[in-house]
Amino acid sequence: MKRLPIIALFFAIIAITVASCASSTSSWDEYMEWQKENTTWYNTQKALKNADGSDFYKPLKPNWYPMSGVLIHYFNDTNLTAGNLVPMLTSTVKVKYKGELYNAAAFDSSYAEVDSTRTFTISDGLIAGWQIALTHMHVGDSCRVIIPYAQGYGTEGSGTIAPFSTLSFDIKLVDITAYEIRPE
């Protein structure tokens, strides 16, 4: 008689384990589908052409992070800002921006601020995609940056941003408020 409750408990544990594995697999499949959709969208953006047949986006691969890369498209004539300062990784910058996922779902924006700007030190916590983009912009430049998940929030995600998310940011570099090299 005592064996019946033990056998029932054993089968209950097996059933719970199988059910939890099934939901875990489902979540993993959803992440893999999300990654596929994001990667496909990134590749579509990378292939975009202007009316004259030139590439819409310019790929950026900095020497200091050669395995990385983002896509950038300047909205302004960069010849007009070419003489302006370019921030270093240690610079503090003032920017206007909005961020969206590949499916146009907004997740962050400076436009909720009173003067619609935010101030960041580039090397202090900004994702690699922003670091790459900002160090290739002159004060006054406005651009769209497409950031693959590896230079964004990676395989972990952040807050409402799911793992494997390709990010799209419209950024305007308003000013460099601190342009210094910090001692190591």
Side-chain angles (χ1 to χ4, degrees):
M1 284 266 203
K2 290 185 178 182
R3 289 187 186 204
L4 186 59
I6 293 173
I7 292 172
L9 180 62
F10 174 74
F11 282 113
I13 291 171
I14 297 283
I16 291 169
T17 303
V18 168
S20 69
C21 286
S23 69
S24 173
T25 301
S26 174
S27 295
W28 182 251
D29 290 344
E30 289 170 12
Y31 282 132
M32 292 298 93
E33 183 61 28
W34 177 254
Q35 179 183 14
K36 180 181 172 186
E37 292 168 3
N38 278 266
T39 300
T40 299
W41 184 78
Y42 179 85
N43 290 331
T44 301
Q45 297 304 298
K46 189 175 180 179
L48 283 179
K49 301 289 184 191
N50 291 310
D52 66 2
S54 62
D55 291 336
F56 184 77
Y57 289 103
K58 174 184 174 186
L60 296 178
K61 291 186 180 278
N63 293 336
W64 49 268
Y65 191 3
M67 300 303 290
S68 69
V70 301
L71 303 175
I72 192 166
H73 172 79
Y74 293 94
F75 294 123
N76 61 291
D77 181 350
T78 56
N79 293 320
L80 300 176
T81 58
N84 297 351
L85 289 175
V86 175
M88 297 181 289
L89 283 172
T90 55
S91 297
T92 301
V93 296
K94 186 181 273 194
V95 297
K96 294 181 179 190
Y97 70 93
K98 69 175 183 174
E100 296 179 342
L101 301 175
Y102 91 93
N103 59 6
F107 61 84
D108 195 10
S109 175
S110 67
Y111 292 98
E113 306 297 322
V114 173
D115 66 355
S116 71
T117 63
R118 288 201 185 142
T119 302
F120 301 103
T121 300
I122 295 174
S123 61
D124 288 345
L126 288 183
I127 59 174
W130 267 63
Q131 293 176 2
I132 294 166
L134 286 170
T135 57
H136 285 84
M137 295 174 70
H138 293 85
V139 171
D141 281 341
S142 293
C143 66
R144 174 161 295 148
V145 181
I146 307 297
I147 302 173
Y149 75 89
Q151 279 72 62
Y153 294 100
T155 59
E156 299 296 316
S158 177
T160 61
I161 301 170
F164 305 109
S165 292
T166 298
L167 309 173
S168 174
F169 284 97
D170 288 348
I171 303 171
K172 178 175 178 75
L173 179 56
V174 176
D175 196 10
I176 300 173
T177 60
Y179 194 81
E180 78 266 358
I181 299 175
R182 295 185 189 160
E184 296 297 322

